[in-house]
Amino acid sequence: MDSVIGNDFKIAAPEPLFAGGAIVFEGVAPLDLAATFDCGQAFRWRPRGDGCFNAVVAGDAVNARLDGDRLEIRGAPRGKAKFWAEYFALDVDYTAIHKALRADARMRACLAFSPGIRVLRQEFFETLVSFIISQNNNITRIKGIVERLCSCFGETVGEDHQGVPDRAFPTPSAIASLSPEDLAPLRAGYRVAGIIDAARRVDSGELDETALRAMPTADARRRLLEVHGVGPKIADCVLLFGLGRFESFPVDVWIRRAMVALFPEGLPCCTAGISGIAQQYIFHYARNCGTIPQSKQPRD
DNA sequence: CTCCAGGCATATT
DNA sequence: AATATGCATGGA
């Protein structure tokens, strides 16, 4: 079972081009890199100020930029073009998704707020640990803790133009042998127990990504809930952002309140495996706008 | 200073 | 099953 998404919203990913040492995908719209990287699903992408974004992903220090509807990724080997197409969900038909979501006026309001958000397919272990860190935490500090985790225990994969080392997210085995005292420099508080438990379960094979991907979402969720520090919200975030289960979505008290206020009858137009994506638009709208649109919205 | 952050574990009702 | 409380830390 690969990504779970309705057939209506599957397309063939564009073929990669290779130009100037970059992996290039054309026709990627809709995609807004700033909105996508900064909507609370990823914690390592940093804007360089000129429209480029830097991160270390899958062991490569990469640079992503958008030129119209051309996505350029530098720093990754050609052989990983398929990985990057999946990372940016270029095989998901966001045009069709938007069309379906726009059938509802309230969903239309959320979508209009940040139409370039895509739900990324991020690496499993990094997503699991990052969202354990996110517990009762704010995004700025989450980013800081994740950076310190990489800086302390991640493999150096190069250095940036200022000579600062680029470090990968630590491997499960690199964390599995650590004690809470070793993680004290992270200043992650009570979350360190969860970080270590997650690393040990993954490192030992008890929690296996391949197995999780092969099992139904409900079973994978049950397995994730066994990890210390992983409750319903974080499990759903990991399913959505780290295991490509676009039909799953995080539902905590807050988002439930926003959802119910917006959609007392339940999420519309979202039954074909994209409720997680719909949720991300709702979440971002409610977080940044702070207001809940009424059920009656003006037509386009 | 206070309030709270993409919650969870645990105890109590 | 539902609700209440403590929690490390530091942004805003």
Side-chain angles (χ1 to χ4, degrees):
Chain A
M1 188 180 301
D2 200 348
S3 76
V4 180
I5 189 163
N7 285 325
D8 292 347
F9 304 114
K10 273 188 189 165
I11 55 173
E15 288 300 314
L17 310 174
F18 303 99
I23 300 171
V24 178
F25 296 101
E26 294 187 324
V28 298
L31 171 60
D32 180 332
L33 292 180
T36 296
F37 293 149
D38 200 35
C39 68
Q41 64 173 316
F43 303 105
R44 288 208 76 192
W45 286 95
R46 288 193 296 198
R48 225 177 56 179
D50 57 354
C52 295
F53 295 83
N54 292 332
V56 180
V57 178
D60 298 314
V62 298
N63 173 303
R65 72 181 289 266
L66 211 51
D67 177 13
D69 70 345
R70 283 165 55 97
L71 173 64
E72 303 176 358
I73 300 155
R74 297 172 198 283
R78 284 189 176 207
K80 285 189 180 173
K82 183 177 171 61
F83 169 88
W84 284 103
E86 291 179 0
Y87 184 91
F88 282 102
L90 300 181
D91 58 324
V92 176
D93 189 349
Y94 269 78
T95 301
I97 288 172
H98 287 193
K99 184 177 178 184
L101 295 181
R102 271 195 277 266
D104 181 274
R106 298 154 295 178
M107 204 59 237
R108 210 154 54 229
C110 296
L111 192 53
F113 186 69
S114 47
I117 286 181
R118 280 173 174 255
V119 172
L120 303 170
R121 287 199 193 89
Q122 299 181 72
E123 295 166 275
F124 165 68
F125 181 64
E126 175 173 339
T127 305
L128 174 59
V129 172
S130 295
F131 276 90
I132 287 172
I133 290 169
S134 81
Q135 179 188 344
N136 190 233
N137 211 342
N138 62 68
I139 290 177
T140 308
R141 194 164 84 98
I142 295 165
K143 288 179 176 175
I145 294 171
V146 169
E147 278 315 301
R148 289 192 287 277
L149 179 62
C150 296
S151 156
C152 291
F153 306 109
E155 185 188 348
T156 300
V157 298
E159 60 180 41
D160 66 15
H161 54 93
Q162 296 176 348
V164 179
D166 287 317
R167 296 184 199 273
F169 196 89
T171 61
S173 69
I175 300 176
S177 59
L178 300 177
S179 67
E181 305 82 72
D182 295 325
L183 293 179
L186 304 185
R187 306 194 301 268
Y190 52 80
R191 302 167 188 84
V192 294
I195 297 172
I196 292 172
D197 186 46
R200 291 186 176 165
R201 286 174 190 264
V202 174
D203 184 51
S204 71
E206 176 188 343
L207 189 65
D208 182 69
E209 176 181 354
T210 303
L212 289 173
R213 288 187 183 278
M215 63 180 74
T217 296
D219 294 339
R221 179 185 284 111
R222 272 190 286 276
R223 294 303 309 275
L224 291 169
L225 288 172
E226 295 171 1
V227 179
H228 184 82
V230 175
K233 168 71 182 304
I234 290 172
D236 282 341
C237 284
V238 175
L239 287 168
L240 177 59
F241 303 128
L243 289 169
R245 302 299 177 98
F246 293 154
E247 88 283 20
S248 178
F249 59 96
V251 180
D252 66 350
V253 173
W254 190 92
I255 188 66
R256 186 186 295 278
R257 197 187 317 147
M259 289 275 199
V260 170
L262 267 172
F263 305 105
E265 78 287 5
L267 269 181
C269 341
C270 304
T271 55
I274 57 168
S275 55
I277 294 171
Q279 177 276 150
Q280 195 62 8
Y281 291 114
I282 298 167
F283 180 86
H284 195 244
Y285 177 89
R287 283 252 36 157
N288 291 279
C289 221
T291 59
I292 302 296
Q294 298 304 306
S295 58
K296 299 296 181 185
Q297 288 286 318
R299 295 273 165 188
D300 293 351

PDB file of all heavy atoms in Angstrom, chain A residues 136 140-141 187 189-191, chain C residues 6-12:
ATOM      1  N   ASN A 136       2.971  20.314  22.832  1.00  0.00           N
ATOM      2  CA  ASN A 136       2.786  21.479  23.716  1.00  0.00           C
ATOM      3  C   ASN A 136       3.941  22.475  23.541  1.00  0.00           C
ATOM      4  O   ASN A 136       4.563  22.898  24.496  1.00  0.00           O
ATOM      5  CB  ASN A 136       2.691  21.007  25.175  1.00  0.00           C
ATOM      6  CG  ASN A 136       2.250  22.111  26.125  1.00  0.00           C
ATOM      7  OD1 ASN A 136       2.907  22.375  27.111  1.00  0.00           O
ATOM      8  ND2 ASN A 136       1.156  22.743  25.823  1.00  0.00           N
ATOM      9  N   THR A 140       8.600  28.066  16.632  1.00  0.00           N
ATOM     10  CA  THR A 140       9.947  28.638  16.699  1.00  0.00           C
ATOM     11  C   THR A 140      10.867  27.768  17.547  1.00  0.00           C
ATOM     12  O   THR A 140      12.007  27.480  17.180  1.00  0.00           O
ATOM     13  CB  THR A 140       9.887  30.067  17.271  1.00  0.00           C
ATOM     14  OG1 THR A 140       8.935  30.819  16.528  1.00  0.00           O
ATOM     15  CG2 THR A 140      11.246  30.738  17.181  1.00  0.00           C
ATOM     16  N   ARG A 141      10.352  27.356  18.705  1.00  0.00           N
ATOM     17  CA  ARG A 141      11.208  26.560  19.581  1.00  0.00           C
ATOM     18  C   ARG A 141      11.381  25.140  19.059  1.00  0.00           C
ATOM     19  O   ARG A 141      12.441  24.530  19.233  1.00  0.00           O
ATOM     20  CB  ARG A 141      10.654  26.533  21.013  1.00  0.00           C
ATOM     21  CG  ARG A 141      11.683  25.999  22.013  1.00  0.00           C
ATOM     22  CD  ARG A 141      11.311  26.324  23.440  1.00  0.00           C
ATOM     23  NE  ARG A 141      10.396  25.364  24.002  1.00  0.00           N
ATOM     24  CZ  ARG A 141      10.753  24.353  24.784  1.00  0.00           C
ATOM     25  NH1 ARG A 141      12.016  24.156  25.075  1.00  0.00           N
ATOM     26  NH2 ARG A 141       9.857  23.531  25.262  1.00  0.00           N
ATOM     27  N   ARG A 187      17.570  21.053  25.373  1.00  0.00           N
ATOM     28  CA  ARG A 187      16.609  21.801  26.190  1.00  0.00           C
ATOM     29  C   ARG A 187      15.181  21.493  25.725  1.00  0.00           C
ATOM     30  O   ARG A 187      14.362  22.389  25.530  1.00  0.00           O
ATOM     31  CB  ARG A 187      16.894  23.302  26.137  1.00  0.00           C
ATOM     32  CG  ARG A 187      18.344  23.642  26.525  1.00  0.00           C
ATOM     33  CD  ARG A 187      18.518  25.114  26.785  1.00  0.00           C
ATOM     34  NE  ARG A 187      18.163  25.936  25.628  1.00  0.00           N
ATOM     35  CZ  ARG A 187      19.040  26.327  24.682  1.00  0.00           C
ATOM     36  NH1 ARG A 187      20.309  25.990  24.770  1.00  0.00           N
ATOM     37  NH2 ARG A 187      18.633  27.081  23.692  1.00  0.00           N
ATOM     38  N   GLY A 189      13.124  19.507  27.419  1.00  0.00           N
ATOM     39  CA  GLY A 189      12.248  19.214  28.551  1.00  0.00           C
ATOM     40  C   GLY A 189      11.840  17.757  28.598  1.00  0.00           C
ATOM     41  O   GLY A 189      12.637  16.856  28.310  1.00  0.00           O
ATOM     42  N   TYR A 190      10.577  17.542  28.948  1.00  0.00           N
ATOM     43  CA  TYR A 190      10.093  16.170  29.158  1.00  0.00           C
ATOM     44  C   TYR A 190       9.967  15.377  27.860  1.00  0.00           C
ATOM     45  O   TYR A 190       9.606  14.200  27.884  1.00  0.00           O
ATOM     46  CB  TYR A 190       8.738  16.187  29.866  1.00  0.00           C
ATOM     47  CG  TYR A 190       7.711  17.070  29.202  1.00  0.00           C
ATOM     48  CD1 TYR A 190       7.016  16.646  28.089  1.00  0.00           C
ATOM     49  CD2 TYR A 190       7.436  18.343  29.692  1.00  0.00           C
ATOM     50  CE1 TYR A 190       6.088  17.436  27.465  1.00  0.00           C
ATOM     51  CE2 TYR A 190       6.505  19.153  29.086  1.00  0.00           C
ATOM     52  CZ  TYR A 190       5.827  18.695  27.969  1.00  0.00           C
ATOM     53  OH  TYR A 190       4.901  19.500  27.354  1.00  0.00           O
ATOM     54  N   ARG A 191      10.251  15.997  26.725  1.00  0.00           N
ATOM     55  CA  ARG A 191      10.084  15.302  25.447  1.00  0.00           C
ATOM     56  C   ARG A 191      11.232  14.338  25.146  1.00  0.00           C
ATOM     57  O   ARG A 191      11.137  13.525  24.220  1.00  0.00           O
ATOM     58  CB  ARG A 191       9.955  16.321  24.325  1.00  0.00           C
ATOM     59  CG  ARG A 191       8.783  17.274  24.548  1.00  0.00           C
ATOM     60  CD  ARG A 191       8.838  18.461  23.629  1.00  0.00           C
ATOM     61  NE  ARG A 191       7.835  19.457  23.955  1.00  0.00           N
ATOM     62  CZ  ARG A 191       7.988  20.396  24.876  1.00  0.00           C
ATOM     63  NH1 ARG A 191       9.117  20.459  25.569  1.00  0.00           N
ATOM     64  NH2 ARG A 191       7.017  21.252  25.140  1.00  0.00           N
TER      65      ARG A 191
ATOM     66  P    DG C   6      -2.027  20.771  39.037  1.00  0.00           P
ATOM     67  OP1  DG C   6      -1.961  20.892  40.497  1.00  0.00           O
ATOM     68  OP2  DG C   6      -2.324  21.954  38.192  1.00  0.00           O
ATOM     69  O5'  DG C   6      -0.664  20.123  38.516  1.00  0.00           O
ATOM     70  C5'  DG C   6      -0.325  18.815  38.953  1.00  0.00           C
ATOM     71  C4'  DG C   6       0.795  18.261  38.082  1.00  0.00           C
ATOM     72  O4'  DG C   6       0.286  17.925  36.777  1.00  0.00           O
ATOM     73  C3'  DG C   6       1.959  19.249  37.853  1.00  0.00           C
ATOM     74  O3'  DG C   6       3.173  18.540  38.017  1.00  0.00           O
ATOM     75  C2'  DG C   6       1.749  19.740  36.418  1.00  0.00           C
ATOM     76  C1'  DG C   6       1.087  18.527  35.770  1.00  0.00           C
ATOM     77  N9   DG C   6       0.204  18.855  34.652  1.00  0.00           N
ATOM     78  C8   DG C   6      -0.710  19.873  34.593  1.00  0.00           C
ATOM     79  N7   DG C   6      -1.376  19.905  33.461  1.00  0.00           N
ATOM     80  C5   DG C   6      -0.856  18.839  32.730  1.00  0.00           C
ATOM     81  C6   DG C   6      -1.182  18.379  31.437  1.00  0.00           C
ATOM     82  O6   DG C   6      -2.009  18.832  30.648  1.00  0.00           O
ATOM     83  N1   DG C   6      -0.428  17.270  31.085  1.00  0.00           N
ATOM     84  C2   DG C   6       0.534  16.686  31.877  1.00  0.00           C
ATOM     85  N2   DG C   6       1.155  15.635  31.376  1.00  0.00           N
ATOM     86  N3   DG C   6       0.851  17.106  33.095  1.00  0.00           N
ATOM     87  C4   DG C   6       0.115  18.184  33.452  1.00  0.00           C
ATOM     88  P    DC C   7       4.525  19.296  38.086  1.00  0.00           P
ATOM     89  OP1  DC C   7       5.423  18.587  38.996  1.00  0.00           O
ATOM     90  OP2  DC C   7       4.211  20.734  38.259  1.00  0.00           O
ATOM     91  O5'  DC C   7       5.095  19.107  36.613  1.00  0.00           O
ATOM     92  C5'  DC C   7       5.201  17.793  36.058  1.00  0.00           C
ATOM     93  C4'  DC C   7       5.393  17.904  34.567  1.00  0.00           C
ATOM     94  O4'  DC C   7       4.172  18.317  33.938  1.00  0.00           O
ATOM     95  C3'  DC C   7       6.439  18.944  34.156  1.00  0.00           C
ATOM     96  O3'  DC C   7       7.529  18.283  33.536  1.00  0.00           O
ATOM     97  C2'  DC C   7       5.732  19.837  33.143  1.00  0.00           C
ATOM     98  C1'  DC C   7       4.528  18.983  32.746  1.00  0.00           C
ATOM     99  N1   DC C   7       3.358  19.762  32.303  1.00  0.00           N
ATOM    100  C2   DC C   7       2.686  19.364  31.151  1.00  0.00           C
ATOM    101  O2   DC C   7       3.085  18.362  30.542  1.00  0.00           O
ATOM    102  N3   DC C   7       1.604  20.075  30.741  1.00  0.00           N
ATOM    103  C4   DC C   7       1.213  21.144  31.442  1.00  0.00           C
ATOM    104  N4   DC C   7       0.150  21.803  30.997  1.00  0.00           N
ATOM    105  C5   DC C   7       1.886  21.560  32.608  1.00  0.00           C
ATOM    106  C6   DC C   7       2.950  20.852  33.013  1.00  0.00           C
ATOM    107  P    DA C   8       8.677  17.826  34.329  1.00  0.00           P
ATOM    108  OP1  DA C   8       8.665  16.398  34.253  1.00  0.00           O
ATOM    109  OP2  DA C   8       8.665  18.578  35.613  1.00  0.00           O
ATOM    110  O5'  DA C   8       9.844  18.335  33.407  1.00  0.00           O
ATOM    111  C5'  DA C   8      10.413  19.540  33.510  1.00  0.00           C
ATOM    112  C4'  DA C   8      11.049  19.895  32.204  1.00  0.00           C
ATOM    113  O4'  DA C   8      10.050  20.171  31.192  1.00  0.00           O
ATOM    114  C3'  DA C   8      11.880  21.160  32.328  1.00  0.00           C
ATOM    115  O3'  DA C   8      12.968  21.032  31.439  1.00  0.00           O
ATOM    116  C2'  DA C   8      10.914  22.259  31.933  1.00  0.00           C
ATOM    117  C1'  DA C   8      10.038  21.567  30.883  1.00  0.00           C
ATOM    118  N9   DA C   8       8.647  21.997  30.896  1.00  0.00           N
ATOM    119  C8   DA C   8       7.838  22.203  31.974  1.00  0.00           C
ATOM    120  N7   DA C   8       6.607  22.552  31.662  1.00  0.00           N
ATOM    121  C5   DA C   8       6.607  22.568  30.279  1.00  0.00           C
ATOM    122  C6   DA C   8       5.609  22.856  29.339  1.00  0.00           C
ATOM    123  N6   DA C   8       4.360  23.181  29.654  1.00  0.00           N
ATOM    124  N1   DA C   8       5.938  22.783  28.032  1.00  0.00           N
ATOM    125  C2   DA C   8       7.198  22.434  27.707  1.00  0.00           C
ATOM    126  N3   DA C   8       8.222  22.136  28.505  1.00  0.00           N
ATOM    127  C4   DA C   8       7.857  22.225  29.799  1.00  0.00           C
ATOM    128  P    DT C   9      14.099  22.067  31.511  1.00  0.00           P
ATOM    129  OP1  DT C   9      15.322  21.434  30.993  1.00  0.00           O
ATOM    130  OP2  DT C   9      14.070  22.674  32.862  1.00  0.00           O
ATOM    131  O5'  DT C   9      13.632  23.158  30.472  1.00  0.00           O
ATOM    132  C5'  DT C   9      13.431  22.791  29.114  1.00  0.00           C
ATOM    133  C4'  DT C   9      12.830  23.945  28.360  1.00  0.00           C
ATOM    134  O4'  DT C   9      11.429  24.007  28.614  1.00  0.00           O
ATOM    135  C3'  DT C   9      13.371  25.330  28.725  1.00  0.00           C
ATOM    136  O3'  DT C   9      14.306  25.686  27.718  1.00  0.00           O
ATOM    137  C2'  DT C   9      12.134  26.231  28.736  1.00  0.00           C
ATOM    138  C1'  DT C   9      11.023  25.307  28.236  1.00  0.00           C
ATOM    139  N1   DT C   9       9.662  25.546  28.787  1.00  0.00           N
ATOM    140  C2   DT C   9       8.622  25.780  27.904  1.00  0.00           C
ATOM    141  O2   DT C   9       8.778  25.807  26.704  1.00  0.00           O
ATOM    142  N3   DT C   9       7.399  25.977  28.488  1.00  0.00           N
ATOM    143  C4   DT C   9       7.127  25.963  29.853  1.00  0.00           C
ATOM    144  O4   DT C   9       5.983  26.154  30.262  1.00  0.00           O
ATOM    145  C5   DT C   9       8.254  25.720  30.721  1.00  0.00           C
ATOM    146  C7   DT C   9       8.065  25.698  32.197  1.00  0.00           C
ATOM    147  C6   DT C   9       9.447  25.528  30.152  1.00  0.00           C
ATOM    148  P    DG C  10      15.133  27.009  27.742  1.00  0.00           P
ATOM    149  OP1  DG C  10      16.383  26.749  27.019  1.00  0.00           O
ATOM    150  OP2  DG C  10      15.152  27.504  29.122  1.00  0.00           O
ATOM    151  O5'  DG C  10      14.263  27.999  26.853  1.00  0.00           O
ATOM    152  C5'  DG C  10      13.848  27.598  25.550  1.00  0.00           C
ATOM    153  C4'  DG C  10      12.752  28.531  25.058  1.00  0.00           C
ATOM    154  O4'  DG C  10      11.569  28.326  25.842  1.00  0.00           O
ATOM    155  C3'  DG C  10      13.093  30.017  25.189  1.00  0.00           C
ATOM    156  O3'  DG C  10      12.549  30.704  24.080  1.00  0.00           O
ATOM    157  C2'  DG C  10      12.330  30.417  26.433  1.00  0.00           C
ATOM    158  C1'  DG C  10      11.074  29.591  26.217  1.00  0.00           C
ATOM    159  N9   DG C  10      10.199  29.451  27.371  1.00  0.00           N
ATOM    160  C8   DG C  10      10.552  29.325  28.703  1.00  0.00           C
ATOM    161  N7   DG C  10       9.515  29.220  29.499  1.00  0.00           N
ATOM    162  C5   DG C  10       8.423  29.278  28.643  1.00  0.00           C
ATOM    163  C6   DG C  10       7.046  29.212  28.922  1.00  0.00           C
ATOM    164  O6   DG C  10       6.494  29.093  30.010  1.00  0.00           O
ATOM    165  N1   DG C  10       6.280  29.304  27.758  1.00  0.00           N
ATOM    166  C2   DG C  10       6.789  29.442  26.482  1.00  0.00           C
ATOM    167  N2   DG C  10       5.907  29.517  25.480  1.00  0.00           N
ATOM    168  N3   DG C  10       8.073  29.498  26.218  1.00  0.00           N
ATOM    169  C4   DG C  10       8.830  29.406  27.338  1.00  0.00           C
ATOM    170  P    DG C  11      13.514  31.171  22.892  1.00  0.00           P
ATOM    171  OP1  DG C  11      14.361  30.045  22.494  1.00  0.00           O
ATOM    172  OP2  DG C  11      14.082  32.437  23.326  1.00  0.00           O
ATOM    173  O5'  DG C  11      12.490  31.482  21.658  1.00  0.00           O
ATOM    174  C5'  DG C  11      11.432  31.389  21.807  1.00  0.00           C
ATOM    175  C4'  DG C  11      10.208  31.699  21.095  1.00  0.00           C
ATOM    176  O4'  DG C  11       9.162  31.416  22.055  1.00  0.00           O
ATOM    177  C3'  DG C  11       9.987  33.115  20.631  1.00  0.00           C
ATOM    178  O3'  DG C  11       9.093  33.111  19.547  1.00  0.00           O
ATOM    179  C2'  DG C  11       9.408  33.771  21.876  1.00  0.00           C
ATOM    180  C1'  DG C  11       8.566  32.642  22.484  1.00  0.00           C
ATOM    181  N9   DG C  11       8.551  32.622  23.943  1.00  0.00           N
ATOM    182  C8   DG C  11       9.615  32.538  24.787  1.00  0.00           C
ATOM    183  N7   DG C  11       9.276  32.542  26.049  1.00  0.00           N
ATOM    184  C5   DG C  11       7.904  32.625  26.042  1.00  0.00           C
ATOM    185  C6   DG C  11       6.966  32.674  27.110  1.00  0.00           C
ATOM    186  O6   DG C  11       7.175  32.622  28.318  1.00  0.00           O
ATOM    187  N1   DG C  11       5.662  32.765  26.651  1.00  0.00           N
ATOM    188  C2   DG C  11       5.303  32.822  25.328  1.00  0.00           C
ATOM    189  N2   DG C  11       4.005  32.918  25.073  1.00  0.00           N
ATOM    190  N3   DG C  11       6.161  32.772  24.315  1.00  0.00           N
ATOM    191  C4   DG C  11       7.438  32.687  24.741  1.00  0.00           C
ATOM    192  P    DA C  12       8.945  34.471  18.721  1.00  0.00           P
ATOM    193  OP1  DA C  12       8.526  34.060  17.365  1.00  0.00           O
ATOM    194  OP2  DA C  12      10.168  35.270  18.934  1.00  0.00           O
ATOM    195  O5'  DA C  12       7.731  35.234  19.439  1.00  0.00           O
ATOM    196  C5'  DA C  12       6.446  34.620  19.507  1.00  0.00           C
ATOM    197  C4'  DA C  12       5.491  35.551  20.244  1.00  0.00           C
ATOM    198  O4'  DA C  12       5.603  35.353  21.669  1.00  0.00           O
ATOM    199  C3'  DA C  12       5.757  37.032  20.000  1.00  0.00           C
ATOM    200  O3'  DA C  12       4.507  37.687  19.760  1.00  0.00           O
ATOM    201  C2'  DA C  12       6.373  37.533  21.302  1.00  0.00           C
ATOM    202  C1'  DA C  12       5.708  36.611  22.319  1.00  0.00           C
ATOM    203  N9   DA C  12       6.473  36.441  23.545  1.00  0.00           N
ATOM    204  C8   DA C  12       7.840  36.348  23.677  1.00  0.00           C
ATOM    205  N7   DA C  12       8.251  36.201  24.908  1.00  0.00           N
ATOM    206  C5   DA C  12       7.081  36.177  25.654  1.00  0.00           C
ATOM    207  C6   DA C  12       6.833  36.041  27.028  1.00  0.00           C
ATOM    208  N6   DA C  12       7.782  35.877  27.936  1.00  0.00           N
ATOM    209  N1   DA C  12       5.537  36.053  27.436  1.00  0.00           N
ATOM    210  C2   DA C  12       4.573  36.213  26.525  1.00  0.00           C
ATOM    211  N3   DA C  12       4.690  36.360  25.199  1.00  0.00           N
ATOM    212  C4   DA C  12       5.991  36.328  24.825  1.00  0.00           C
TER     213       DA C  12
END
